[in-house]
């Protein structure tokens, strides 16, 4: 008879706990835990709204971003330049550049490249190389440039070209000054 009482008591405690828990859940919903997004209790803010507010604060708050004066990037090249961009400025958009076999994409000081398609090699006029910011390595002249790595060019006269033997060109994302030879 004692086992029947133990089972009955355990069932009663379990049922009472479930009932008490459901009461607590109902009162918690009323306190804002399960409230709908977008209401006064839970406002929703989008990224574009935050970006607009930051721009308003920067423009109207008396603190303006200073831009450096424009300098012309003129790397030494043997062929006539095909395309040139303005120097790096804050917020400059990324440009997509197609590099055909035999051409060299020369970076201006401060430019950044990401090779998106094709096989590229590093081009440098001196013994120093290009900083691979993704891998944390220095890539010297003639080294294969890995795809989808951020390459930083601290000085003029360095760049990338299509790897020898490749029939297809490169697709490169470029931010900053460059010359296509």
């Amino acid at each position: 008879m004692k086992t029947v009482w133990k089972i009955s008591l355990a069932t009663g405690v379990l049922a009472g706990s479930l009932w008490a828990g459901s009461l607590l859940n109902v009162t918690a919903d009323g306190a804002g835990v399960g409230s709908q997004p977008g209401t006064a209790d839970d406002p929703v803010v989008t990224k574009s709204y935050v970006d607009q507010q930051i721009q308003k604060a920067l423009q109207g708050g008396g603190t303006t971003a200073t831009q450096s004066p424009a300098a012309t990037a003129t790397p030494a090249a043997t062929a006539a330049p095909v395309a040139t961009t303005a120097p790096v400025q804050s917020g400059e958009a990324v440009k997509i550049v197609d590099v055909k076999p035999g051409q060299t994409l020369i970076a201006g000081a401060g430019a950044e490249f990401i090779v998106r398609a094709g096989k590229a090699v590093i081009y440098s006029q001196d013994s120093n190389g290009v900083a691979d910011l993704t891998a944390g390595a220095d890539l010297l002249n003639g080294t294969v440039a890995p795809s989808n790595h951020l390459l930083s060019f601290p000085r003029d006269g360095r760049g990338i070209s299509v790897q020898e033997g490749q029939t297809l060109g490169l697709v490169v994302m470029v931010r900053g000054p460059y010359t296509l030879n």
Side-chain angles (χ1 to χ4, degrees), residues 63-159:
T63 59
T64 58
T66 59
Q67 293 181 355
S68 60
T72 306
T74 56
T78 56
V82 176
T84 305
T85 64
V88 176
Q89 294 181 0
S90 61
E92 183 177 336
V94 174
K95 293 180 178 37
I96 305 299
V97 178
D98 292 322
V99 182
K100 295 183 180 15
Q103 290 183 323
T104 303
L105 183 62
I106 305 292
E112 297 174 342
F113 293 174
I114 298 176
V115 178
R116 294 291 294 153
K119 294 187 179 187
V121 292
I122 301 297
Y123 167 79
S124 179
Q125 295 175 346
D126 53 18
S127 62
N128 295 324
V130 174
D132 181 352
L133 301 179
T134 305
D138 193 33
L139 304 176
L140 300 177
N141 187 29
T143 306
V144 174
S147 296
N148 299 316
H149 280 220
L150 180 60
L151 305 175
S152 177
F153 298 85
R155 294 193 179 118
D156 293 338
R158 301 173 187 172

Side-chain angles (χ1 to χ4, degrees), residues 2 8 23 29 63 86 103 112 145 147 151 168 172 175 181:
K2 289 185 178 185
S8 298
L23 283 179
D29 281 341
T63 59
Q103 290 183 323
E112 297 174 342
S147 296
L151 305 175
L168 301 175
V172 183
R175 178 180 290 144
N181 295 332

Side-chain angles (χ1 to χ4, degrees), residues 7 9 11 14 32 38 42 46 48 56 60 78 83 91 96 98 102 119 132 138 157 162 174:
I7 292 174
L9 183 62
T11 305
L14 183 62
D42 185 22
T46 62
S48 60
K56 285 181 185 176
T78 56
I96 305 299
D98 292 322
K119 294 187 179 187
D132 181 352
D138 193 33
V162 179
V174 177

Side-chain angles (χ1 to χ4, degrees), residues 50-63:
V50 172
D51 291 343
Q52 288 173 354
Q53 295 304 315
I54 290 172
Q55 288 301 323
K56 285 181 185 176
L58 288 176
Q59 292 172 355
T63 59

